[in-house]
Amino acid sequence: MTYTNFSIETDADGLALVTWDMPGRSMNVITQEVLAELDAIVDQVASDAAVKGAVVTSGKAAFSGGADLSMIKGMFSFYEEQKRTDPDHAAEKLFELAGSLTRVFRKLETCGKPWVAAINGTCMGGAFELALACHGRVAANTASVKIALPEVKVGIFPGAGGTQRVPRLTNTQDALQMMTTGQTLTPQRARAMGLVHEIVDPDRLIEAAKAMLKAGLKPVQPWDERGFKVPGGGVWTPAGGQLWPAASAILRRETYGNFPGATAILKCVYEGLQLPFDTALKVEQRYFTEILQTTEAFSMIRSLFISMQELGKGARRPAGIAKSRFAKIGVVGAGFMGASIAYVTAAAGIPVTLIDRDIAAAEKGKAHSEKLVKDSVGKGRFSQEEGEALLARITPSADYQDLADAGLVIEAVFEDRAVKTAVIKAVEAVIAPDAIFASNTSTLPISGLAETSIRPEQFIGIHFFSPVEKMMLTEVILGEKTGDGALATALDFVAAIRKTPIVVNDTRGFYVNRCVFRYIHEAYDMLIEGVPPAMIENAAKMAGMPVGPLSLNDEVAIDLSQKILKASIADLGAASVDPEHMALIDRMVDDLDRRGRKNGHGFYEYPAKPAKKYLWPELKTFYPQQPAEAVDVEVLKSRFLVTIALEAARTVEEGIVTDPREADVGSILGFGFAPYTGGTLSYIDGMGVKAFVALCERLAADHGDRFRPTALLEEMAAKGETFYGRFDPYAKSRAA
């Protein structure tokens, strides 16, 4: 029998090699077709007396990334369709669909023939659950092997047996840690946990897997044997009595109950370990069905899985323009940002010339990359040779003429219009006629900067976030005259350095910074009202933000906030800034020299390590304090999320953001907007625009006009619309 996605070869010893190699794809993924073929292959192996056992491996560099977009989308669309056509049985049908992988994997491990997974590269999600269903697992000893069950990061959990097999192979604490955080394991860590049996050199992988079969691998899983005991003790043991109360408390502390998928993992493991294995799988299937029906799962999968992949693959790239190949990139400005941009460019294999006012400054910029390389080599992220090759791709220079053959030049100098103007003129005097100029400005409008350019159609903004090597988002900003060629080139570059782009139109602060500063300014308002600083920070984290707004402002730098406020007054007038905000920040910077983490004193104090930072005690003396018991934490949480979401809605109304996917992905990757909501616009759609408008009106009545819903929101509420309905990102592709 022949298959589309698999091939089977049986050797003279009766050992079948099942190679997963999907045509036309760079990585194997689980689709309905793959699942159906795997089901048939299990039957074929089980029924063929000549086959003594099977090895499943990949014909690609990676084993598999898990479930495919189409399969994930299909589960949600299936449920929505069933709710419309057969609402009384919709959940029951979703339950059956949710168990499709579980049934095939359980069939594999009980088919009577031994199976070994030969893991040659990345093995994630459902693919690792397939490997766990095999009776043996061998991994290649290479850095490319990354093993994880990361489903919790996109709102769901390992629902194909993962929550039941992992805690039956390793101790419960490690199992919970792995699944509730989605952490990635090295082969060595996976073996130490008992999730992998052997680690061998890559060229011996199949040989070792077959040797395991020849050695008499039992076709029975440990949990299917009489007398099986859970590693480390079951739920009702002294060890379990210590673990479970602590596990629940830790999860609550880390997630504040915002992530239903993470809570479901604890429930699945706790209940499942007290039951026979097949019953435990049904418990997992039940919880998986429940999670698939939550707003959080739908929104997180849409934004963090589907939209992120679509944007990363060029969803906003203009059609009909040849893909750019970068032989050389220029970066002007070898300060922290410019040096970091040079590093990620070189790390992507692209030669880069790093320009500054003199060679000493340029060399200092390259030294930043040298430090990053040294740290990475020390942590085993790449070899000494790879590090040296990366550094060899960075050429420091003080001569603009060295940019003559660069296809793209990125300016990363000070946020000063005069400085940037001088750089634009100097660069455009030497670069090729078809080269693209990009400004890494964080606040200055691109159209204004492009007025200096003699080729505004080839002028674009590429806004990186700090630290560049860690932050996955990049804002691509279109000026009024930016052409499609410049946009295509910018998106090709962002793809080459493996970051996720969002495309926005020009405005002060663009998209991300506009939202970020609404978050920070709301904290200013709370301080002025006398809300205790600790409550401000804790309420923000309870709402789902990764760091409190005061801590974030310290990281951004309080004096930078001061510069931005003053620039707004200079450009837009005094009414553009709340005078009480200005007074607070002037007092912090000018009177007290509290500039944030960079000088060790901000809203927080930063003592010498190993001591941890702490809120500056004197901050609470700035304004008369409200009693903590008089402050409604739920209102504080709503204020933070609503003020950010309102700003996102304004950018849509103003035409700055035109694709809801970019608003959502940008808010999560850019500043960590409550990921469980799916992003700013999904937060609004998730509760319903009508309910959001009502919430805005209540907050406006109590806390000021800044919470007034916009005209667009009121119109959408009246019509019962959603952002993803009114601004459907797929409308054009469907029409085509």
Side-chain angles (χ1 to χ4, degrees), residues 544-566:
M545 302 300 290
V547 295
L550 302 178
S551 177
L552 178 61
N553 202 172
D554 273 5
E555 298 295 332
V556 171
I558 301 173
D559 56 330
L560 176 59
S561 294
Q562 183 188 49
K563 290 176 183 176
I564 291 170
L565 291 175
K566 288 182 175 179

Side-chain angles (χ1 to χ4, degrees), residues 143-350:
S144 65
V145 173
K146 296 178 176 63
I147 294 169
L149 294 173
E151 290 89 343
V152 73
K153 294 180 179 180
V154 293
I156 53 177
F157 68 88
T163 67
Q164 301 310 311
R165 292 187 177 92
V166 172
R168 285 171 170 81
L169 290 168
T170 193
N171 71 78
T172 309
Q173 181 175 335
D174 285 345
L176 293 175
Q177 172 74 11
M178 175 190 180
M179 292 186 287
T180 58
T181 64
Q183 70 181 132
T184 299
L185 307 178
T186 63
Q188 291 74 22
R189 177 58 180 153
R191 182 175 61 181
M193 290 174 63
L195 304 180
V196 165
H197 297 103
E198 291 184 28
I199 303 173
V200 299
D201 290 338
D203 58 358
R204 291 191 55 247
L205 184 64
I206 304 304
E207 173 191 336
K210 288 187 174 182
M212 190 178 286
L213 293 172
K214 292 177 184 177
L217 180 67
K218 291 179 68 172
V220 180
Q221 294 281 25
W223 45 86
D224 288 325
E225 303 238 52
R226 283 181 78 85
F228 169 74
K229 294 187 183 301
V230 174
V235 171
W236 298 105
T237 63
Q242 289 185 316
L243 170 66
W244 284 102
S248 299
I250 290 169
L251 185 68
R252 182 73 187 179
R253 182 191 71 196
E254 296 299 319
T255 69
Y256 295 97
N258 289 325
F259 295 84
T263 303
I265 291 171
L266 260 66
K267 293 178 178 180
C268 286
V269 176
Y270 181 81
E271 294 178 30
L273 289 182
Q274 302 177 64
L275 298 168
F277 189 73
D278 285 303
T279 308
L281 289 177
K282 288 295 183 184
V283 168
E284 179 190 78
Q285 189 176 344
R286 181 190 73 199
Y287 279 117
F288 195 66
T289 304
E290 287 184 7
I291 293 302
L292 287 174
Q293 297 174 70
T294 64
T295 300
E296 291 87 349
F298 175 80
S299 299
M300 287 182 74
I301 284 176
R302 179 172 64 186
S303 294
L304 294 172
F305 189 54
I306 297 170
S307 296
M308 195 178 299
Q309 288 199 30
E310 290 171 345
L311 295 176
K313 292 177 180 177
R316 292 295 309 280
R317 190 182 188 280
I321 298 175
K323 188 173 181 179
S324 302
R325 305 290 179 186
F326 299 103
K328 178 178 174 180
I329 296 291
V331 176
V332 181
F336 181 73
M337 286 299 291
S340 298
I341 295 168
Y343 173 81
V344 298
T345 302
I350 304 171

Side-chain angles (χ1 to χ4, degrees), residues 441-481:
T441 178
S442 57
T443 56
L444 298 175
I446 291 299
S447 297
L449 293 175
E451 289 175 2
T452 303
S453 174
I454 58 174
R455 305 174 305 174
E457 73 283 355
Q458 289 165 250
F459 195 106
I460 197 165
I462 303 180
H463 178 208
F464 292 85
F465 296 86
S466 182
V468 177
E469 61 274 9
K470 293 181 180 178
M471 296 294 285
M472 296 309 299
L473 182 73
T474 303
E475 264 182 322
V476 176
I477 306 107
L478 301 177
E480 292 176 3
K481 298 181 180 180

Side-chain angles (χ1 to χ4, degrees), residues 317-595:
R317 190 182 188 280
I321 298 175
K323 188 173 181 179
S324 302
R325 305 290 179 186
F326 299 103
K328 178 178 174 180
I329 296 291
V331 176
V332 181
F336 181 73
M337 286 299 291
S340 298
I341 295 168
Y343 173 81
V344 298
T345 302
I350 304 171
V352 54
T353 294
L354 182 60
I355 299 279
D356 212 302
R357 62 184 180 276
D358 55 50
I359 193 64
E363 292 280 7
K364 184 178 178 181
K366 181 171 181 177
H368 175 72
S369 291
E370 291 168 352
K371 182 180 182 301
L372 292 173
V373 165
K374 183 178 179 180
D375 290 346
S376 293
V377 171
K379 293 175 182 177
R381 292 177 183 153
F382 43 72
S383 68
Q384 184 69 39
E385 292 74 19
E386 290 170 327
E388 290 172 357
L390 186 159
L391 292 173
R393 287 191 284 270
I394 301 175
T395 303
S397 172
D399 187 354
Y400 279 85
Q401 195 62 45
D402 289 341
L403 301 174
D405 56 345
L408 168 68
V409 175
I410 302 167
E411 163 272 305
V413 297
F414 296 119
E415 283 289 284
D416 182 294
R417 205 174 259 107
V419 175
K420 289 183 182 291
T421 295
V423 168
I424 293 165
K425 291 179 178 178
V427 170
E428 289 194 342
V430 298
I431 57 175
D434 59 346
I436 303 301
F437 185 96
S439 174
N440 174 53
T441 178
S442 57
T443 56
L444 298 175
I446 291 299
S447 297
L449 293 175
E451 289 175 2
T452 303
S453 174
I454 58 174
R455 305 174 305 174
E457 73 283 355
Q458 289 165 250
F459 195 106
I460 197 165
I462 303 180
H463 178 208
F464 292 85
F465 296 86
S466 182
V468 177
E469 61 274 9
K470 293 181 180 178
M471 296 294 285
M472 296 309 299
L473 182 73
T474 303
E475 264 182 322
V476 176
I477 306 107
L478 301 177
E480 292 176 3
K481 298 181 180 180
T482 301
D484 282 352
L487 174 57
T489 299
L491 291 176
D492 290 343
F493 172 68
V494 173
I497 60 174
R498 295 182 286 278
K499 296 193 181 295
T500 300
I502 62 170
V503 179
V504 301
N505 288 316
D506 199 15
T507 184
R508 178 179 297 274
F510 316 125
Y511 171 68
V512 170
N513 280 347
R514 280 182 57 167
C515 292
V516 165
F517 280 102
R518 275 306 324 139
Y519 177 50
I520 290 172
H521 291 171
E522 194 62 30
Y524 297 169
D525 287 317
M526 291 178 183
L527 280 175
I528 293 164
E529 292 166 19
V531 177
M535 290 193 73
I536 294 173
E537 295 292 87
N538 288 333
K541 287 184 278 190
M542 291 170 71
M545 302 300 290
V547 295
L550 302 178
S551 177
L552 178 61
N553 202 172
D554 273 5
E555 298 295 332
V556 171
I558 301 173
D559 56 330
L560 176 59
S561 294
Q562 183 188 49
K563 290 176 183 176
I564 291 170
L565 291 175
K566 288 182 175 179
S568 294
I569 292 172
D571 292 350
L572 304 175
S576 66
V577 170
D578 186 323
E580 291 190 273
H581 291 184
M582 195 76 250
L584 167 63
I585 297 308
D586 283 345
R587 183 177 180 185
M588 290 289 288
V589 176
D590 297 338
D591 299 346
L592 300 167
D593 194 31
R594 303 192 68 87
R595 299 170 184 269

Side-chain angles (χ1 to χ4, degrees), residues 676-725:
Y676 68 91
T677 66
T680 48
L681 299 187
S682 283
Y683 169 68
I684 298 173
D685 280 0
M687 74 168 68
V689 178
K690 186 175 183 179
F692 181 77
V693 166
L695 175 56
C696 288
E697 289 171 343
R698 291 196 299 273
L699 290 174
D702 293 336
H703 300 285
D705 286 346
R706 65 185 179 278
F707 287 106
R708 292 284 175 209
T710 68
L712 172 66
L713 284 166
E714 290 177 335
E715 179 187 331
M716 290 173 64
K719 293 181 177 180
E721 293 179 324
T722 65
F723 279 96
Y724 276 84

